[in-house]
C-alpha cells in the first residue's frame, strides 16, 4: 500500500499531533511504501514569519526523526521542494467546486480566527492537500479526525477528474486511529488540543517536566471524583484517560480498575510521571540531532529526489489527459 501524510511546520508539535498522527505512522513503515511530508505551503496560509518558517521546517524534520520515522524505510521531504504539488493544485482548481470549499469546517474556523487575512490560499488549502495525496497515487492517508473532511474532498476531486478525463487517480482512503483521533485541550475538553488556539491546554512533545506538571495539575476535570470514561458527563477525565492509555498501552478498562477510588489528584500525579518518562527519550534524541543540520538536510533532499520521480510520472499522465502539451 502507498501511504501519504503530512504536518504543517507551524511551531512546536504537541501530543495531539503525536497521538493523532505521527505515532500511527511508525508501524506503517514496515510493510508499506510510506511518504511523509513537511507541508510548508500549507503553513503559509495563516500569518507567519519567513525566518521562523525556515526554523520550523528543520524542527519538524527533527520531530519526524525522534518519533521514529526511518529515512531508510520511508520517504520524507519538504512539500515546496517539489513544484508538481503546486502545478497539480492549479489543475485541480479547475474542477474544485467553490461551494464545497467554502463549506469546509477548517476554512470556516480559520477565516473566523484570522478575520484580517482571509486569503485565497486559505480557501484553496484542501485542494493543495488533495494534490499532495493524489499525485502519489496514495491508498491510505493516516490523519487525525480534523483532517477527515479534507481527505473526503480529495476523493471527490479524484472522482470528478477520473470521470471527466479518464481514470488517472487512485481513490485514497482515510485512516483514523481507533483512539486519539481527537485529543482535546486540557483547558477546554470540548475543543481539540491546538497550539495556536490555546497554548495552556496543549502539551508539546518536547515539554519540560515542570511544564508537564503545571499543565496536567491545571487540567480541567469534571464534577465528582471517579476516574471513569464518559465523554458526555466527564469529557476532561476521559481525555486524560485517553492520553494515559495511549502512552502506557494499558486499556481504559484497566486504568479505570487501577485508579478505582483513587481520586483525581492521584491519577493526575501518575499521569505526570508517565508523560515525563514517555517524553524524555524524545528530548534526549532531539538534543543529539540539533547539531546535525547537514545530515538532516541531506535526508530531506534525498527524500525529495525519490518523491519527485513519482510526482513527475503522475503529472505527465495528468497533462496528457487534460490536453496540455
Ligand atoms: P497540523 O498541525 O494541523 O498540521 O496537524 C498534523 C496532524 O495532527 C494531522 O493529521 C491532524 O489531524 C493531527 N492533529 C492535530 N491536532 C490534533 C488533535 N488535537 N488530536 C489528534 N490529532 C490531531
Ligand atoms: N492539512 C493537514 C493538517 O493540517 C496537513 C496535510 C497537508 C496533509 N497535506 C496533507 C495531511 C496530505 C495528509 C495528507 O493536518
Amino acid at each position: 500500500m502507498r501511504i501519504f501524510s503530512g504536518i504543517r511546520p507551524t511551531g512546536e508539535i504537541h501530543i495531539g499531533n503525536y497521538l493523532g498522527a505521527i505515532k500511527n505512522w511508525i508501524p506503517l513503515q514496515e510493510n508499506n511504501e510510506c511518504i511523509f511530508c513537511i507541508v510548508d505551503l500549507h503553513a503559509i496560509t495563516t500569518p507567519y514569519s519567513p525566518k521562523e518558517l525556515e526554523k520550523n521546517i528543520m524542527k519538524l524534520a527533527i520531530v519526524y526523526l525522534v518519533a521514529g520515522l526511518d529515512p531508510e524505510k520511508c520517504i520524507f521531504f519538504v512539500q515546496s521542494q517539489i513544484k508538481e504539488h503546486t502545478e497539480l493544485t492549479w489543475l485541480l482548481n479547475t474542477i474544485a467546486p467553490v461551494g464545497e470549499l467554502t463549506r469546509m469546517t477548517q476554512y470556516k474556523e480559520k477565516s473566523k480566527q484570522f478575520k484580517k487575512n482571509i486569503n485565497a490560499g486559505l480557501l484553496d488549502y484542501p485542494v493543495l492537500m488533495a494534490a499532495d495525496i493524489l499525485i502519489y497515487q496514495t491508498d491510505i492517508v493516516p490523519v487525525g479526525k480534523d483532517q477527515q473532511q479534507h481527505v473526503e474532498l480529495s476523493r471527490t476531486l479524484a472522482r470528478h477528474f477520473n470521470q471527466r478525463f479518464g481514470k488517472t487517480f487512485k481513490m485514497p482512503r482515510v485512516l483514523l486511529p481507533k483512539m486519539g483521533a481527537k485529543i482535546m485541550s486540557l483547558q477546554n475538553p470540548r475543543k481539540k488540543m491546538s497550539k495556536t488556539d490555546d497554548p495552556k491546554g496543549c502539551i508539546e512533545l518536547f515539554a519540560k517536566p515542570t511544564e508537564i506538571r503545571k499543565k496536567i495539575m491545571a487540567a480541567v476535570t469534571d464534577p465528582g471524583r471517579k476516574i471513569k470514561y464518559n465523554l458526555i458527563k466527564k469529557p476532561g477525565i476521559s481525555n486524560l484517560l485517553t492520553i494515559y492509555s495511549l502512552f502506557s498501552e494499558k486499556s481504559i478498562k484497566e486504568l479505570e480498575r487501577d485508579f478505582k477510588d483513587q481520586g483525581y489528584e492521584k491519577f493526575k500525579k501518575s499521569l505526570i510521571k508517565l508523560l515525563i518518562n514517555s517524553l524524555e527519550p524524545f528530548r534526549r534524541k532531539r538534543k543529539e540531532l540539533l547539531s546535525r543540520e547537514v545530515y538532516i538536510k541531506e535526508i530531506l533532499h534525498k527524500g525529495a529526489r525519490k518523491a519527485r520521480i513519482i510526482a513527475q510520472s503522475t503529472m505527465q499522465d495528468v497533462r496528457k489527459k487534460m490536453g496540455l502539451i
Side-chain angles (χ1 to χ4, degrees):
M1 293 273 203
R2 172 90 42 85
I3 315 277
F4 184 96
S5 197
I7 296 186
R8 291 170 304 140
T10 47
E12 303 298 334
I13 291 296
H14 54 74
I15 58 171
N17 300 127
Y18 175 69
L19 299 174
I22 315 178
K23 183 171 184 267
N24 312 300
W25 302 353
I26 312 301
L28 292 170
Q29 295 177 103
E30 300 308 324
N31 295 312
N32 300 283
E33 205 181 337
C34 290
I35 308 177
F36 298 116
C37 192
I38 295 177
V39 290
D40 52 349
L41 297 173
H42 279 107
I44 61 176
T45 55
T46 43
Y48 78 105
S49 125
K51 264 210 191 110
E52 286 298 313
L53 179 61
E54 219 182 305
K55 277 195 220 145
N56 287 339
I57 291 171
M58 289 305 284
K59 269 193 190 162
L60 185 54
I62 290 180
V63 168
Y64 280 10
L65 289 169
V66 305
L69 292 192
D70 180 348
E72 301 294 322
K73 292 186 185 156
C74 68
I75 298 177
F76 73 84
F77 70 98
V78 179
Q79 185 188 35
S80 65
Q81 289 186 355
I82 300 192
K83 294 192 174 60
E84 284 75 9
H85 287 233
T86 41
E87 185 184 357
L88 182 58
T89 303
W90 179 256
L91 301 180
L92 292 178
N93 271 338
T94 63
I95 58 160
V98 174
E100 280 203 38
L101 297 180
T102 55
R103 282 194 293 275
M104 292 285 123
T105 308
Q106 184 174 304
Y107 171 71
K108 287 195 278 192
E109 280 174 8
K110 292 258 148 89
S111 45
K112 239 192 251 160
Q113 194 182 349
F114 301 103
K115 279 204 180 74
K116 291 203 184 103
N117 185 12
I118 308 179
N119 61 82
L122 206 53
L123 181 68
D124 209 29
Y125 183 111
V127 182
L128 174 58
M129 181 160 158
D132 296 341
I133 296 169
L134 300 179
I135 207 163
Y136 295 104
Q137 306 292 354
T138 301
D139 296 292
I140 308 275
V141 187
V143 283
K145 181 94 180 123
D146 61 338
Q147 295 303 312
Q148 182 173 22
Q149 194 180 38
H150 289 163
V151 180
E152 270 156 23
L153 183 82
S154 66
R155 287 170 63 86
T156 307
L157 295 183
R159 197 175 322 110
H160 283 344
F161 192 101
N162 289 348
Q163 273 164 1
R164 168 90 174 77
F165 299 106
K167 173 105 183 65
T168 309
F169 296 119
K170 249 197 185 160
M171 278 295 187
R173 276 187 296 130
V174 72
L175 178 66
L176 298 177
K178 279 198 202 80
M179 222 205 300
K182 195 170 183 187
I183 298 295
M184 306 313 252
S185 160
L186 301 178
Q187 286 295 313
N188 178 357
R190 306 230 178 252
K191 260 178 50 190
K192 77 166 179 180
M193 182 177 282
S194 156
K195 173 90 190 303
T196 37
D197 295 355
D198 176 11
K200 273 198 198 143
C202 164
I203 292 189
E204 290 161 4
L205 198 61
F206 299 125
K208 294 194 188 102
T210 47
E211 279 170 79
I212 297 176
R213 201 166 292 124
K214 210 161 83 193
K215 286 187 175 171
I216 295 292
M217 285 321 284
V220 170
T221 47
D222 319 286
R225 66 184 300 276
K226 269 212 164 113
I227 309 294
K228 192 106 192 105
Y229 189 89
N230 182 330
L231 279 180
I232 308 209
K233 287 195 185 139
K234 287 178 161 277
I237 284 297
S238 301
N239 189 41
L240 297 181
L241 273 168
T242 302
I243 297 172
Y244 201 122
S245 166
L246 289 167
F247 277 108
S248 65
E249 289 180 15
K250 281 188 178 177
S251 70
I252 300 267
K253 281 255 161 343
E254 250 175 288
L255 294 174
E256 285 175 343
R257 225 177 299 129
D258 290 355
F259 289 99
K260 195 168 179 263
D261 307 321
Q262 296 243 16
Y264 292 161
E265 188 165 335
K266 274 209 174 134
F267 172 64
K268 278 187 168 181
K269 286 200 167 138
S270 174
L271 176 58
I272 290 170
K273 214 157 138 199
L274 171 70
L275 281 173
I276 292 177
N277 288 336
S278 309
L279 300 186
E280 195 276 330
F282 297 143
R283 280 162 31 95
R284 182 164 29 84
K285 287 188 199 146
R286 177 179 70 154
K287 244 192 194 156
E288 290 163 19
L289 286 168
L290 278 175
S291 58
R292 302 189 65 191
E293 201 176 316
V294 178
Y295 162 74
I296 294 165
K297 283 198 169 145
E298 185 47 39
I299 292 175
L300 294 173
H301 284 133
K302 233 192 224 166
R305 279 198 294 276
K306 287 191 205 153
R308 194 172 290 117
I309 297 171
I310 310 172
Q312 285 178 340
S313 143
T314 303
M315 279 316 293
Q316 225 175 2
D317 188 27
V318 170
R319 278 189 217 112
K320 212 164 91 204
K321 294 258 178 51
M322 292 186 80
L324 303 161
I325 308 172

